[in-house]
Amino acid sequence: MADTAAVKARIRQAFHRAAGTYDQAAVVQREVCQYLADFAASYPCPGPLERVLDAGCGTGHALPLLAARYPQADLLALDFASGMLAHVRGHLRVCGDLEQLPLAAASMDAVWSSLAAQWCRPQALFGELARVLRPRGMAWIATLGPETLCELRDAFRAVDDLPHAIDFHCPQTWQRAAEDAGFAVCGLLRRPCAALDTDLRGLLRHIKAIGAHTVSHTPRTPLGREAWHRLARRYERWRRPDGLLPATYDVILLALERRP
C-alpha cells in the first residue's frame, strides 16, 4: 500500500466515520480476535506483565478479553481514529499512529494488535513496536495476507484493471521485517476466515461498515449498472453449497519476542 499522507488521512477518516457501525458489522474481526487470543496463550510473555498496549484497538472489543487474561496489567488502548477511541470505556486511551507511537522507549511489556498492522509498512510498524517494548517483551499480531478478498479481486477483473483491495503482504515479508527490527519469531500461523452474506451488496456493506474500504488516494467513480451486473455475475462463481457468498480474509498470526 502506498504510504502517503493523503492515503493515511483517508483511511483514518474512513474508520472515524465507521465507528458507529463497526461493532455490529465486525463479525470477522471478533472471530480473528479470538484466534489471536488462543494463539497468544501458547506464547506467554516471559517475566512480569504490567503494561499491555492494544495497538489499533478500534472500538475496544479486545480489551475485556485482555483484562480477563491479564488482570494484573494496565491496559493502554491506542488507535489513530478518534471516533473509534470514543467508544472505549474504562481504560487509558491514546490517539496515535502505529508507525509513530507516542510512547516512551521500553515502556510496554507486551503489545496486542488485531487487524491493524495491514494498514502499516511492516518495517516502520515493527521498528516502533521494538522501540516501545522492553527486552523480552512479547508482541501478538493478527494481520492479513495476499489472499484477502480474493473473490472480490477476481470479480472486479470482469469490470476493470484498477486495484479494488490493498496489496497485503505475504507471511515471509512480515517475518523478515520483524526479524530485521530485532524480534525473534516464536510462532507464525496462517488461516482463512470469511464474512458471509446472501448477496454481494451485503458483503460490500460489511466492508464499508467496518471502515476497511479505502484503497488509494484517487476518488472512485461509482459503478454503472452494466458494470455492477458484470461484477455480480462474476462473483456468483464463488457462491457456496449453503447458498452464501464469502469474502475471505487471509489471516496471519505472529508471536514475536523482543530480543535483549
Side-chain angles (χ1 to χ4, degrees), residues 114-169:
S114 185
L115 296 186
Q118 66 271 10
W119 300 105
C120 302
R121 297 168 299 167
Q123 295 85 351
L125 169 69
F126 289 136
E128 278 295 273
L129 296 188
R131 181 183 66 81
V132 303
L133 275 170
R134 65 163 171 80
R136 301 209 67 199
M138 291 296 296
W140 304 296
I141 311 291
T143 187
L144 296 176
E147 293 302 310
T148 297
L149 302 181
C150 58
E151 303 93 347
L152 191 63
R153 296 171 194 270
D154 172 72
F156 264 111
R157 293 190 187 105
V159 176
D160 57 40
D161 296 323
L162 298 174
H164 292 274
I166 70 172
D167 292 325
F168 298 100
H169 298 290

Side-chain angles (χ1 to χ4, degrees), residues 136 210 223 229 239:
R136 301 209 67 199
I210 61 173
L223 290 179
H229 287 319
R239 192 172 290 278

Side-chain angles (χ1 to χ4, degrees), residues 195-199 203 235-236 238-246:
L196 302 171
D197 210 300
T198 55
D199 59 34
L203 285 176
Y235 211 105
E236 279 298 315
W238 296 98
R239 192 172 290 278
R240 304 183 343 165
D242 62 5
L244 296 175
L245 288 176

Side-chain angles (χ1 to χ4, degrees), residues 42-112:
S42 299
Y43 303 96
C45 186
L49 205 161
E50 299 176 356
R51 296 174 301 277
V52 177
L53 171 66
D54 185 349
C57 64
T59 58
H61 58 278
L63 291 167
L65 185 155
L66 292 172
R69 185 72 59 91
Y70 311 113
Q72 77 283 8
D74 292 328
L75 303 181
L76 177 61
L78 182 143
D79 202 276
F80 78 159
S82 59
M84 291 286 186
L85 276 177
H87 290 260
V88 174
R89 298 288 184 270
H91 298 281
L92 295 173
R93 297 175 296 171
V94 175
C95 192
D97 188 335
L98 271 65
E99 295 187 2
Q100 294 178 306
L101 291 170
L103 302 173
S107 60
M108 293 290 136
D109 298 310
V111 174
W112 163 285

